[in-house]
Amino acid sequence: MNYRVTLLPGDGIGPEVTKAAVDVMKFIANKFDVDIQTTEELMGGCSYEKHGTPLTDETLQACYDSDAVFLGAVGGYKWDSLPHRLKPEAALLKLRKSLGLFANIRPAKVYSAFVNSSSLKSEIINNTDFIVFRELTGGIYFGEPRGMDENKGWNTMVYSREEVIRIARMAFLTARRRNKVVTNVDKANVLEVSQFWRNVVEEVSKDYPDVELRHMYVDNAAMQIVRNPKQFDVIVTGNIFGDIISDIAGMITGSLGMLPSASLGKDYALYEPVHGSAPDIAGKNIANPIAAITSVAMMFEHTFEMDKAAELIYSAVSKTLGNGYRTADIGKETDKIVSTDEMTKLIKDEIENIYNEQAIGVFTL
Ligand code: IPM
Ligand code: MN
């Protein structure tokens, strides 16, 4: 098979973690005999510096022409005072909207090696494994009217039936392959838009009688995630609630530096680590590449439909962490501290080991 992947390394640590991710992507592609061509484009602050805009038409076109997009990270203090439309964040929102990436998937899974790094007690966090499905191209992020003048500022939270149906279906389909519980998170006790959202999710749930549907108000959900995260399997929610909930979910797993994400639409897909551009540690070869590397695992799973390849990456990451290796950002004195490049190499070595063990296993069968 031949695939084209557009790389948007972006700003700060983005280029370093992208390099690590591509390294693993090509290594795996080679093993599984698929051909992945990559092209690199500017996006974010780096694009603003060169072209005066954080997202050019050329970059957007390159994304339209590819099977998947990989994004490192965008943004930095340097561009914080620019007008809204020139900020790196505006480019990200435009990219999501233009590619129709309505479903943002953020898994909150605790690696056993990380149970003691969480801000929660180990007995609360161990074995936590849930996924947040965040609606990504609607809601208050994009609703009209929006604006501000000297006396007020305003935004509009609006959802159409179609927008709710498509994200809800994805959540139910995923729950069906997992523990069969969808928790819908909204604010239906106050907002009409949430009452409407909830009604539509209820309608959709009728097509998935094997999956249990629960409802939770967003403030309670925030509390429940830190109280008893094991109660969740799949969470489905709107854009702004999902933004907030997925940061909470990410943090309790030990480090945002560990978490991948996928943003999927009908025709396109974008993969990016959940963490930001961390400009303070950029260029030092100390950033943690694991979220970027596991974002590549999500790419193999969702775009290339190569679950085996994805599992191989996840297992290699778990094994490497289990062996005590950490990048400096998440390491303690007792850990074996390694650089970004070394961590990437260790993960590739583990991929090789596990791959060979599996090959021997198949052979002896
Ligand atoms: C995220 C980020 C973005 C968002 C920002 C950078 C626009 O926080 O991906 O969660 O709010 O969606
Ligand atoms: Mn966010």
Side-chain angles (χ1 to χ4, degrees):
M1 283 298 280
N2 287 304
Y3 294 110
R4 275 176 304 179
V5 175
T6 298
L7 306 172
L8 308 173
D11 308 315
I13 59 169
E16 295 158 62
V17 298
T18 302
K19 184 169 152 266
V22 173
D23 202 355
V24 172
M25 187 194 302
K26 300 236 155 135
F27 191 66
I28 290 272
N30 201 9
K31 292 230 158 311
F32 286 80
D33 222 11
V34 288
D35 184 34
I36 302 180
Q37 297 294 329
T38 52
T39 48
E40 209 172 294
E41 303 289 338
L42 293 178
M43 180 189 154
C46 56
S47 170
Y48 173 77
E49 296 299 331
K50 179 129 191 252
H51 302 293
T53 168
L55 179 63
T56 62
D57 291 344
E58 288 71 36
T59 294
L60 198 51
Q61 190 56 50
C63 296
Y64 284 133
D65 291 340
S66 56
D67 298 294
V69 179
F70 182 92
L71 173 67
V74 294
Y77 327 116
K78 214 173 148 188
W79 305 287
D80 275 355
S81 50
L82 286 174
H84 188 75
R85 69 190 168 80
L86 295 177
K87 285 193 175 149
E89 289 82 351
L92 184 57
L93 295 176
K94 185 173 171 195
L95 190 64
R96 289 172 179 170
K97 191 76 176 170
S98 308
L99 300 178
L101 308 173
F102 64 86
N104 183 230
I105 308 177
R106 296 185 176 180
K109 191 174 162 131
V110 181
Y111 291 97
S112 48
F114 260 72
V115 164
N116 295 317
S117 311
S118 171
S119 44
L120 299 183
K121 294 192 193 79
S122 58
E123 65 267 27
I124 294 191
I125 197 66
N126 64 7
N127 299 322
T128 289
D129 179 1
F130 64 95
I131 305 186
V132 180
F133 274 74
R134 166 188 176 194
E135 199 291 327
L136 200 61
T137 51
I140 200 164
Y141 271 55
F142 294 94
E144 297 284 347
R146 62 188 298 162
M148 62 185 250
D149 59 27
E150 292 94 84
N151 302 312
K152 57 182 189 306
W154 61 96
N155 288 89
T156 305
M157 188 147 154
V158 53
Y159 271 114
S160 68
R161 175 176 298 278
E162 257 329 292
E163 285 176 317
V164 185
I165 290 177
R166 61 189 185 180
I167 184 85
R169 283 207 186 287
M170 248 192 208
F172 280 105
L173 283 170
T174 304
R176 187 170 260 179
R177 288 189 278 113
R178 296 172 45 99
N179 290 330
K180 300 190 172 49
V181 181
V182 167
T183 306
N184 168 53
V185 170
D186 62 32
K187 191 72 186 173
N189 50 345
V190 178
L191 306 173
E192 284 83 354
V193 58
S194 280
Q195 185 62 61
F196 174 80
W197 169 288
R198 187 178 281 212
N199 293 346
V200 178
V201 173
E202 291 269 356
E203 281 167 31
V204 172
S205 77
K206 300 209 171 75
D207 292 338
Y208 306 88
D210 51 325
V211 177
E212 183 190 342
L213 172 63
R214 300 176 187 161
H215 297 290
M216 215 176 251
Y217 299 134
V218 61
D219 47 350
N220 185 31
M223 192 260 277
Q224 294 295 340
I225 289 175
V226 292
R227 193 186 73 87
N228 175 20
K230 285 196 267 274
Q231 70 185 286
F232 297 104
D233 179 27
V234 172
I235 290 182
V236 64
T237 190
N239 205 342
I240 195 151
F241 299 151
D243 181 41
I244 299 162
I245 289 288
S246 62
D247 264 29
I248 306 175
M251 186 58 216
I252 60 165
T253 64
S255 167
L256 279 186
M258 306 292 298
L259 294 177
S261 80
S263 300
L264 308 178
K266 204 163 68 58
D267 303 311
Y268 302 102
L270 177 140
Y271 299 87
E272 62 176 312
V274 171
H275 62 68
S277 62
D280 46 328
I281 60 162
K284 297 185 177 161
N285 194 23
I286 58 172
N288 180 2
I290 291 178
I293 290 172
T294 45
S295 295
V296 165
M298 291 191 86
M299 184 186 290
F300 277 105
E301 191 178 332
H302 294 278
T303 296
F304 308 145
E305 294 179 347
M306 292 167 59
D307 288 7
K308 282 264 168 321
E311 274 164 34
L312 193 52
I313 299 177
Y314 290 126
S315 308
V317 167
S318 273
K319 193 83 194 298
T320 309
L321 290 170
N323 288 341
Y325 295 105
R326 303 280 186 278
T327 44
D329 55 337
I330 52 169
K332 297 188 295 291
E333 276 154 36
T334 46
D335 297 323
K336 302 173 194 157
I337 305 293
V338 292
S339 68
T340 311
D341 291 345
E342 285 162 344
M343 180 61 100
T344 310
K345 167 88 171 55
L346 286 162
I347 292 171
K348 278 166 52 188
D349 290 347
E350 269 325 321
I351 290 176
E352 183 72 42
N353 289 341
I354 301 171
Y355 184 83
N356 291 338
E357 275 164 29
Q358 285 178 353
I360 291 166
V362 170
F363 188 70
T364 49
L365 274 176

